[in-house]
Amino acid sequence: MSYLIRGQEIEPSTEAAYGQRVKVIATEAIAKYDIVTVAGNSGRILKVSRADADGAASVRVGPMFVALGKATAADDVIEVAPWAIVDSVDTSAASAAGDLVYLGVAQPGGNVITKPSGADDAIIPVGRVLTVNASTGVMLLCPQDATLRSSMIRTGTATLATGGGSAP
């Protein structure tokens, strides 16, 4: 069964630098600006959980969003957006504006500037640093942006074995 998101569940943002907001139901406690992923639905309303780059892929299977509010417990209604600009954060680990921001492994839903390197860590870019600073840094969180993942594609050359085949 498929569901459509109704117009009354989507609102343009007029007071902050966010994309369109969607009301969702939290399945757990969620902090403002956590990266969340679709975990199911309740009728026509999506349910979301904090995305997790450490271990089970089942907690990052759906589209990812940025939480715009705080959920203190399961079943709280919050708003999410496809992107958000977050300011007054420590981005000093970045070498320059434009560096990738990754889904964190230590805290589900969190983000880090240092690329995860654990054996079971999924490397999932979720944004970019806009301003590098230890206290007034700015980042753009946009976990649905496919261009972030395309920057992770490795390119190179390969040597192909020669054989008796022929080209068309």
Side-chain angles (χ1 to χ4, degrees), residues 10 19 45 47 75 140:
I10 301 174
I45 308 295
K47 287 187 168 189
D75 296 324
L140 170 64

Side-chain angles (χ1 to χ4, degrees), residues 69-146:
K70 176 181 176 180
T72 56
D75 296 324
D76 283 356
V77 175
I78 61 170
E79 292 181 336
V80 297
W83 62 271
I85 295 175
V86 184
D87 59 9
S88 302
V89 293
D90 181 0
T91 57
S92 61
S95 58
D99 282 2
L100 289 172
V101 175
Y102 301 94
L103 183 61
V105 295
Q107 177 69 33
N111 59 73
V112 295
I113 295 170
T114 305
K115 186 176 179 179
S117 60
D120 67 341
D121 297 345
I123 300 169
I124 304 173
V126 294
R128 291 201 182 268
V129 172
L130 299 179
T131 305
V132 179
N133 190 284
S135 59
T136 60
V138 180
M139 64 176 68
L140 170 64
L141 295 178
C142 48
Q144 293 184 13
D145 187 351

Side-chain angles (χ1 to χ4, degrees), residues 3-21:
Y3 291 96
L4 297 175
I5 298 174
R6 298 177 296 196
Q8 60 265 40
E9 295 161 358
I10 301 174
E11 302 174 8
S13 182
T14 56
E15 70 276 350
Y18 307 133
Q20 289 184 319
R21 301 174 293 167

